[in-house]
């Protein structure tokens, strides 16, 4: 993440099975869990903008 961009910190509570699925995806894509969450958010927010 660029240091010159403004950021906000959020906290997310997930059911265990959703966390485990997220953890599995992150491991498969060689990402940390926070990086995987950012990737999912970017993909979903980008797809919403196209609709």
């Amino acid at each position: 993440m660029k240091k010159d961009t403004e950021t906000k910190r959020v906290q997310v509570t997930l059911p265990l099975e959703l966390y485990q699925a997220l953890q599995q995806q992150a491991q498969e894509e060689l990402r940390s869990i926070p990086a995987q969450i950012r990737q999912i958010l970017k993909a979903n927010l980008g797809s919403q903008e196209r609709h």
Side-chain angles (χ1 to χ4, degrees), residues 23-49:
Q23 185 178 39
Q24 181 68 33
Q25 277 186 349
Q27 287 175 348
E28 289 171 3
E29 297 185 24
L30 303 175
R31 290 189 173 102
S32 66
I33 291 175
Q36 185 66 18
I37 291 170
R38 287 190 299 272
Q39 184 71 19
I40 291 167
L41 287 172
K42 286 177 190 175
N44 284 309
L45 291 174
S47 69
Q48 284 182 1
E49 289 175 358

